[in-house]
PDB file of all heavy atoms in Angstrom:
ATOM      1  N   GLU A1292       2.799   6.904   6.724  1.00 95.00           N
ATOM      2  CA  GLU A1292       2.654   6.529   8.141  1.00 95.00           C
ATOM      3  C   GLU A1292       1.420   7.304   8.748  1.00 95.00           C
ATOM      4  O   GLU A1292       0.827   6.660   9.670  1.00 95.00           O
ATOM      5  CB  GLU A1292       3.898   7.010   8.877  1.00 95.00           C
ATOM      6  CG  GLU A1292       5.131   5.979   8.612  1.00 95.00           C
ATOM      7  CD  GLU A1292       4.720   4.490   9.057  1.00 95.00           C
ATOM      8  OE1 GLU A1292       4.043   4.380  10.133  1.00 95.00           O
ATOM      9  OE2 GLU A1292       5.016   3.460   8.346  1.00 95.00           O
ATOM     10  N   ASN A1293       1.263   8.482   8.408  1.00 95.00           N
ATOM     11  CA  ASN A1293       0.010   9.250   9.030  1.00 95.00           C
ATOM     12  C   ASN A1293      -1.299   8.674   8.617  1.00 95.00           C
ATOM     13  O   ASN A1293      -2.270   8.594   9.456  1.00 95.00           O
ATOM     14  CB  ASN A1293       0.070  10.610   8.633  1.00 95.00           C
ATOM     15  CG  ASN A1293      -0.193  10.879   7.116  1.00 95.00           C
ATOM     16  OD1 ASN A1293       0.495  10.281   6.322  1.00 95.00           O
ATOM     17  ND2 ASN A1293      -1.197  11.833   6.769  1.00 95.00           N
ATOM     18  N   VAL A1294      -1.352   8.072   7.362  1.00 95.00           N
ATOM     19  CA  VAL A1294      -2.573   7.321   7.016  1.00 95.00           C
ATOM     20  C   VAL A1294      -2.686   5.981   7.832  1.00 95.00           C
ATOM     21  O   VAL A1294      -3.803   5.706   8.280  1.00 95.00           O
ATOM     22  CB  VAL A1294      -2.467   7.000   5.479  1.00 95.00           C
ATOM     23  CG1 VAL A1294      -3.718   6.250   5.003  1.00 95.00           C
ATOM     24  CG2 VAL A1294      -2.344   8.407   4.666  1.00 95.00           C
ATOM     25  N   VAL A1295      -1.629   5.316   7.978  1.00 96.00           N
ATOM     26  CA  VAL A1295      -1.630   4.116   8.768  1.00 96.00           C
ATOM     27  C   VAL A1295      -2.084   4.394  10.178  1.00 96.00           C
ATOM     28  O   VAL A1295      -2.885   3.720  10.632  1.00 96.00           O
ATOM     29  CB  VAL A1295      -0.101   3.440   8.855  1.00 96.00           C
ATOM     30  CG1 VAL A1295      -0.160   2.423   9.791  1.00 96.00           C
ATOM     31  CG2 VAL A1295       0.255   3.035   7.434  1.00 96.00           C
ATOM     32  N   ALA A1296      -1.726   5.488  10.777  1.00 97.00           N
ATOM     33  CA  ALA A1296      -2.076   5.845  12.087  1.00 97.00           C
ATOM     34  C   ALA A1296      -3.515   6.157  12.256  1.00 97.00           C
ATOM     35  O   ALA A1296      -4.108   5.661  13.258  1.00 97.00           O
ATOM     36  CB  ALA A1296      -1.252   7.134  12.534  1.00 97.00           C
ATOM     37  N   ASP A1297      -4.185   6.743  11.215  1.00 97.00           N
ATOM     38  CA  ASP A1297      -5.530   6.949  11.248  1.00 97.00           C
ATOM     39  C   ASP A1297      -6.279   5.765  11.098  1.00 97.00           C
ATOM     40  O   ASP A1297      -7.447   5.659  11.699  1.00 97.00           O
ATOM     41  CB  ASP A1297      -5.974   8.006  10.249  1.00 97.00           C
ATOM     42  CG  ASP A1297      -5.525   9.531  10.567  1.00 97.00           C
ATOM     43  OD1 ASP A1297      -5.016   9.653  11.731  1.00 97.00           O
ATOM     44  OD2 ASP A1297      -5.661  10.439   9.847  1.00 97.00           O
ATOM     45  N   ILE A1298      -5.936   4.851  10.207  1.00 97.00           N
ATOM     46  CA  ILE A1298      -6.515   3.661  10.014  1.00 97.00           C
ATOM     47  C   ILE A1298      -6.552   2.695  11.206  1.00 97.00           C
ATOM     48  O   ILE A1298      -7.547   2.123  11.682  1.00 97.00           O
ATOM     49  CB  ILE A1298      -5.894   2.897   8.745  1.00 97.00           C
ATOM     50  CG1 ILE A1298      -6.160   3.555   7.475  1.00 97.00           C
ATOM     51  CG2 ILE A1298      -6.474   1.488   8.756  1.00 97.00           C
ATOM     52  CD1 ILE A1298      -5.460   3.073   6.300  1.00 97.00           C
ATOM     53  N   VAL A1299      -5.338   2.822  11.900  1.00 97.00           N
ATOM     54  CA  VAL A1299      -5.231   1.883  13.157  1.00 97.00           C
ATOM     55  C   VAL A1299      -6.135   2.456  14.244  1.00 97.00           C
ATOM     56  O   VAL A1299      -6.790   1.709  14.815  1.00 97.00           O
ATOM     57  CB  VAL A1299      -3.723   1.996  13.670  1.00 97.00           C
ATOM     58  CG1 VAL A1299      -3.736   1.372  14.980  1.00 97.00           C
ATOM     59  CG2 VAL A1299      -2.807   1.109  12.576  1.00 97.00           C
ATOM     60  N   GLU A1300      -6.295   3.740  14.222  1.00 97.00           N
ATOM     61  CA  GLU A1300      -7.094   4.340  15.221  1.00 97.00           C
ATOM     62  C   GLU A1300      -8.598   4.078  14.997  1.00 97.00           C
ATOM     63  O   GLU A1300      -9.331   3.619  15.835  1.00 97.00           O
ATOM     64  CB  GLU A1300      -6.995   5.934  15.210  1.00 97.00           C
ATOM     65  CG  GLU A1300      -7.870   6.578  16.481  1.00 97.00           C
ATOM     66  CD  GLU A1300      -7.595   8.159  16.271  1.00 97.00           C
ATOM     67  OE1 GLU A1300      -6.758   8.635  15.614  1.00 97.00           O
ATOM     68  OE2 GLU A1300      -8.297   8.716  17.228  1.00 97.00           O
ATOM     69  N   ALA A1301      -8.979   4.090  13.675  1.00 97.00           N
ATOM     70  CA  ALA A1301     -10.270   3.692  13.351  1.00 97.00           C
ATOM     71  C   ALA A1301     -10.653   2.245  13.624  1.00 97.00           C
ATOM     72  O   ALA A1301     -11.749   1.868  14.142  1.00 97.00           O
ATOM     73  CB  ALA A1301     -10.590   4.004  11.822  1.00 97.00           C
ATOM     74  N   VAL A1302      -9.799   1.454  13.160  1.00 97.00           N
ATOM     75  CA  VAL A1302      -9.868  -0.054  13.421  1.00 97.00           C
ATOM     76  C   VAL A1302      -9.932  -0.284  14.998  1.00 97.00           C
ATOM     77  O   VAL A1302     -10.740  -1.266  15.540  1.00 97.00           O
ATOM     78  CB  VAL A1302      -8.791  -0.825  12.881  1.00 97.00           C
ATOM     79  CG1 VAL A1302      -8.777  -2.322  13.125  1.00 97.00           C
ATOM     80  CG2 VAL A1302      -8.945  -0.786  11.240  1.00 97.00           C
ATOM     81  N   SER A1303      -9.178   0.322  15.689  1.00 97.00           N
ATOM     82  CA  SER A1303      -9.179   0.220  17.128  1.00 97.00           C
ATOM     83  C   SER A1303     -10.477   0.456  17.879  1.00 97.00           C
ATOM     84  O   SER A1303     -10.956  -0.203  18.692  1.00 97.00           O
ATOM     85  CB  SER A1303      -8.007   1.018  17.833  1.00 97.00           C
ATOM     86  OG  SER A1303      -8.125   1.021  19.197  1.00 97.00           O
ATOM     87  N   GLY A1304     -11.038   1.624  17.238  1.00 96.00           N
ATOM     88  CA  GLY A1304     -12.426   1.937  17.811  1.00 96.00           C
ATOM     89  C   GLY A1304     -13.561   0.888  17.371  1.00 96.00           C
ATOM     90  O   GLY A1304     -14.457   0.614  18.249  1.00 96.00           O
ATOM     91  N   ALA A1305     -13.303   0.336  16.120  1.00 97.00           N
ATOM     92  CA  ALA A1305     -14.248  -0.703  15.665  1.00 97.00           C
ATOM     93  C   ALA A1305     -14.081  -1.981  16.539  1.00 97.00           C
ATOM     94  O   ALA A1305     -15.194  -2.656  16.924  1.00 97.00           O
ATOM     95  CB  ALA A1305     -14.074  -1.004  14.327  1.00 97.00           C
ATOM     96  N   VAL A1306     -12.892  -2.278  17.042  1.00 97.00           N
ATOM     97  CA  VAL A1306     -12.662  -3.563  17.773  1.00 97.00           C
ATOM     98  C   VAL A1306     -13.409  -3.452  19.115  1.00 97.00           C
ATOM     99  O   VAL A1306     -13.902  -4.481  19.573  1.00 97.00           O
ATOM    100  CB  VAL A1306     -11.115  -3.747  17.917  1.00 97.00           C
ATOM    101  CG1 VAL A1306     -10.917  -4.813  19.027  1.00 97.00           C
ATOM    102  CG2 VAL A1306     -10.459  -4.138  16.718  1.00 97.00           C
ATOM    103  N   ARG A1307     -13.467  -2.202  19.614  1.00 97.00           N
ATOM    104  CA  ARG A1307     -14.093  -1.951  20.916  1.00 97.00           C
ATOM    105  C   ARG A1307     -15.676  -2.433  20.932  1.00 97.00           C
ATOM    106  O   ARG A1307     -16.296  -2.602  21.888  1.00 97.00           O
ATOM    107  CB  ARG A1307     -13.917  -0.668  21.384  1.00 97.00           C
ATOM    108  CG  ARG A1307     -12.498  -0.227  21.849  1.00 97.00           C
ATOM    109  CD  ARG A1307     -12.297   1.014  22.540  1.00 97.00           C
ATOM    110  NE  ARG A1307     -10.882   1.265  22.971  1.00 97.00           N
ATOM    111  CZ  ARG A1307      -9.936   1.724  22.157  1.00 97.00           C
ATOM    112  NH1 ARG A1307     -10.189   2.000  20.902  1.00 97.00           N
ATOM    113  NH2 ARG A1307      -8.648   1.814  22.810  1.00 97.00           N
ATOM    114  N   GLY A1308     -16.251  -2.255  19.720  1.00 96.00           N
ATOM    115  CA  GLY A1308     -17.531  -2.650  19.500  1.00 96.00           C
ATOM    116  C   GLY A1308     -17.725  -3.937  18.718  1.00 96.00           C
ATOM    117  O   GLY A1308     -18.875  -4.112  18.164  1.00 96.00           O
ATOM    118  N   ALA A1309     -16.729  -4.793  18.724  1.00 96.00           N
ATOM    119  CA  ALA A1309     -16.854  -5.960  17.908  1.00 96.00           C
ATOM    120  C   ALA A1309     -17.838  -7.074  18.578  1.00 96.00           C
ATOM    121  O   ALA A1309     -18.104  -8.098  17.909  1.00 96.00           O
ATOM    122  CB  ALA A1309     -15.497  -6.557  17.743  1.00 96.00           C
ATOM    123  N   ASN A1310     -18.262  -6.841  19.719  1.00 97.00           N
ATOM    124  CA  ASN A1310     -19.222  -7.686  20.305  1.00 97.00           C
ATOM    125  C   ASN A1310     -20.669  -7.585  19.697  1.00 97.00           C
ATOM    126  O   ASN A1310     -21.495  -8.412  19.843  1.00 97.00           O
ATOM    127  CB  ASN A1310     -19.355  -7.573  21.720  1.00 97.00           C
ATOM    128  CG  ASN A1310     -19.693  -6.242  22.178  1.00 97.00           C
ATOM    129  OD1 ASN A1310     -19.177  -5.166  21.748  1.00 97.00           O
ATOM    130  ND2 ASN A1310     -20.760  -6.089  23.019  1.00 97.00           N
ATOM    131  N   ARG A1311     -20.732  -6.575  18.810  1.00 97.00           N
ATOM    132  CA  ARG A1311     -21.960  -6.304  18.177  1.00 97.00           C
ATOM    133  C   ARG A1311     -21.695  -6.443  16.672  1.00 97.00           C
ATOM    134  O   ARG A1311     -20.597  -6.349  16.228  1.00 97.00           O
ATOM    135  CB  ARG A1311     -22.526  -4.868  18.507  1.00 97.00           C
ATOM    136  CG  ARG A1311     -22.859  -4.620  19.886  1.00 97.00           C
ATOM    137  CD  ARG A1311     -23.959  -5.256  20.451  1.00 97.00           C
ATOM    138  NE  ARG A1311     -24.329  -4.800  21.709  1.00 97.00           N
ATOM    139  CZ  ARG A1311     -25.372  -5.272  22.479  1.00 97.00           C
ATOM    140  NH1 ARG A1311     -26.118  -6.284  21.846  1.00 97.00           N
ATOM    141  NH2 ARG A1311     -25.600  -4.773  23.735  1.00 97.00           N
TER     142      ARG A1311
END
Side-chain angles (χ1 to χ4, degrees):
E1292 283 302 319
N1293 66 308
V1294 178
V1295 170
D1297 284 356
I1298 292 172
V1299 169
E1300 182 179 359
V1302 171
S1303 176
V1306 168
R1307 291 185 175 89
N1310 60 311
R1311 300 290 188 179

